[in-house]
Amino acid sequence: QVQLVESGGGLVQPGGSLRLSCAASGSIFRVNAMGWYRQAPGKQRELVATISGGGSTSYADSVRGRFTVSRDNAKNTVYLEMSSLKPEDTAVYSCSAEVTWDRSTSVYWGQGTQVTVSS
């Protein structure tokens, strides 16, 4: 089993910054792609950013230039640096990780962390 634990959410004013972390632990041989998703009330979950095992990144158009995804492979941790936050960034942010163990690969999800952008 693999557990993903997010941290770093909270309340921030428009224009502010936050850094989210997501650490994977458990039965892990290798963590492949990792990603961040968000879901606002009444909306579908959307992909925010992904980072491959080799460090290649991709972003949703709505966050490109404001958010930065990175990872620490030694810690099996992915980060999301969010800046110039807007009220429309308010959502529950969840991380995902594609994990290889015992010659099989599965995708795991964290519980999510609330980010609220409001004055």
Side-chain angles (χ1 to χ4, degrees):
Q1 247 327 337
V2 174
Q3 296 79 41
L4 298 182
V5 178
E6 299 108 334
S7 61
L11 173 64
V12 62
Q13 291 187 340
S17 300
L18 277 177
R19 185 196 198 204
L20 306 183
S21 301
C22 172
S25 62
S27 301
I28 298 172
F29 171 71
R30 181 179 63 245
V31 180
N32 305 310
M34 304 184 82
W36 286 97
Y37 293 75
R38 68 185 181 186
Q39 187 166 21
K43 295 187 177 181
Q44 290 189 333
R45 184 174 62 191
E46 64 170 338
L47 175 65
V48 176
T50 64
I51 183 166
S52 71
S56 298
T57 59
S58 65
Y59 297 92
D61 289 343
S62 59
V63 306
R64 187 175 293 112
R66 300 187 297 122
F67 291 10
T68 302
V69 61
S70 61
R71 63 189 291 167
D72 183 335
N73 291 331
K75 297 180 179 180
N76 291 327
T77 298
V78 62
Y79 305 96
L80 186 68
E81 297 272 4
M82 305 183 293
S83 62
S84 301
L85 283 162
K86 305 174 182 179
E88 51 263 42
D89 294 318
T90 296
V92 175
Y93 285 70
S94 301
C95 66
S96 70
E98 183 185 85
V99 177
T100 298
W101 169 256
D102 196 21
R103 292 177 292 182
S104 69
T105 298
S106 302
V107 177
Y108 296 89
W109 292 86
Q111 296 277 41
T113 185
Q114 177 70 45
V115 172
T116 302
V117 184
S118 175
S119 55

